[in-house]
Amino acid sequence: MSAIACIYHSNKEPVSIEHINGMMGSLQQYPADDVQVWHKENVFLGCHAQWITPESIGEQLPYYDYKRQLVITADAIIDNRKELFDLLQVDYRMRKNMPDSQLILLAYDRWGEDSPKYLVGDFAFIIWDEKKQTLFGARDFSGTRTLYYYHHLQKSAFCTTIMPLLTLPYLKKQLNEQWLAEYLVVGGMVDTVDDSLTPYKNINQVPPSHSITITGEKVKLKRYCTLQSVKKIKLKSDGEYVEAFQEVFQRAVDSRLRTHLNVGAQLSGGLDSGAVVSFAAKTLGKENNLLHTFSYMPPSDFKDFTPKYFIPDEREYIKSTVNYVGGIKDHYYDFEEKNSYSEIDELLEIMEMPYKFFENSFWLKGMFEKANEEGVGILLNGDRGNFTVSWGSALDYYSILLKKMKWISLFQELNQYSQNAGGARLGRVPDIARIGFPIIDKLFPQGKPFQRPKHINPEFALRTNVYSKFKKNGFNQEGWFTTSSIYEERKRHFEHTSLWNAGNTLSSKLSLRYSLWKRDPTNDIRVIKFCLSVPEDQYVQNGVDRALIRRSTEKFLPDEVRLNQKFRGVQGVDWVHRMTPVWGDFREELQELSKDKKILEFLDSNLIKKSLLIFEQGHRPELATNSDYKILMRSIIIYRFINNFN
């Protein structure tokens, strides 16, 4: 793993040593096993290396291939090495020790701009092609590694992080109001609809699934990977689907265990992380290696206010997985002294931008700190699982059966589902009908539907034309898909790369800060393609939702976890409780914010004032999911960012 940097002057103007030192000096805040640069007149490439894989130890990076006249700097782990070695006919004697960066270089030499299509893994890289006088770079399909850039006329610069770019004297630190407008409007954890934007004017990012080519003053961004036309497969039996899934998932997990350090995994009480851990422990156990798991739990004085089907403390299920799987050294942390408010400044420094995941921010960062202390090089997780390995909503599938008038199948499924998940067999029919026929809600509405309050100052929204831009690109006024179908939403999830940016930005920058690499087998492109190719009836069967992963983890996970359809873990509901010691400070800062004319140019002052009324009720931890609390916390994060920005 590496932080990479590059400066290119297409007008042949030499790159200044001061500019190189400024960028590389800015990266010194991160730990490094080695720091190297390659500089030739008008081109500079740099690497701030962290050695994670065995092949990366002592790696020369940037690397200059004299024969091919190509130079590469890369932040990459490639997972389909054997396949690439075979395609490129690499000498067997060279394969074991060849670094991933040189493998990428060989792929570029063979396939040019199409080379990223052949790469499976997590990567961002820049190649200087001396013969063609061309700069070429790419980011992996889901953007697990960050790559920011500046380009104007004859000057281009790239870096893994933003701040080194701002050391260049010709690049001024200016707020990108278009980014901020989209950030304030878009719902969920998504940053922006336009994933080429950053909070800094004149600094863009290479979007996921894209390559960039710079020749002279011309810049070409090209999408090299789409997942729109994956064909459905038809196997002979349910058992064959299980075998096929186990094969592709095991390969994805195994290829992510390649490190000379310890292997860790974030483990909750659910299916996704449990599946990753069980498959990983199986492989590590063959070599007598332990898997370190890292799990979050609420503080001991937290009083659970959630409905009975939610579980804030998942230790019972986590320990059941640990004991069943074996070969695991489990770690549990409550981060008792940490809270969402006290961590804001450090998270803003790490992220280099505002963030929305404040409920979990302190422990997500804390997991990296603890994993680093345990000598972990690879930290596994299952973040993408809901859309891949554990896909399968029962009620949505039953709405398809209803629309197709498959009454017998529907009632058989409902009977079995009520036994597994509880509740009356026919009690869910009205909900299924509303899912299958959205017009019912229009004709017979059940109360006023919830609408997320608009956080943005209406005048700022008008000035940036943000709603018109969303509409033009097929999004609603919350920057979300204009569809009520979960199947269409899943399809668009893999079409629109903007949905991947926020979480992957956090993972990439925490990885760099703590010198370890977070890796997600449920996000492996081979796994995604397989899961998209599987017929929907494999995901819901015999009253079991998420059926494929449940069947595929038989003898991998305990039934208490594998077959659980009644309880669901919820992390982060203790965030208001944790802020008890700093509640007064939180309130005081909000009062300052509500009177700050500069920040209220961007935020809706009426919404802020309305949300502040909640403080008259006192400190109430049970309102952790309240939209007013969330608006106020997000406002503070933006307020701090704008103030630091200035």
Side-chain angles (χ1 to χ4, degrees), residues 296-306 311-313 333-341 358-363 570-583 619-625 629-630:
Y296 171 73
M297 60 185 184
S300 58
D301 60 347
F302 172 69
K303 295 180 180 178
D304 184 9
F305 58 84
T306 61
I311 308 174
D313 188 345
Y333 302 102
D334 62 10
F335 301 105
E336 191 171 2
E337 303 300 320
K338 304 286 187 180
N339 62 71
S340 300
Y341 185 74
F358 62 86
E359 298 97 328
N360 301 313
S361 59
F362 61 92
W363 69 259
V570 284
Q571 297 163 332
V573 292
D574 58 343
W575 75 271
V576 176
H577 166 78
R578 286 177 171 276
M579 284 176 56
T580 302
V582 296
W583 198 252
H619 176 241
R620 298 181 60 187
E622 70 274 14
L623 295 183
T625 59
Y629 273 176
K630 292 188 174 186

Side-chain angles (χ1 to χ4, degrees), residues 592-605:
E592 293 176 3
L593 182 157
S594 68
K595 301 172 186 176
D596 190 314
K597 292 181 180 179
K598 187 169 185 62
I599 193 68
L600 296 179
E601 291 179 15
F602 308 117
L603 305 182
D604 187 336
S605 60

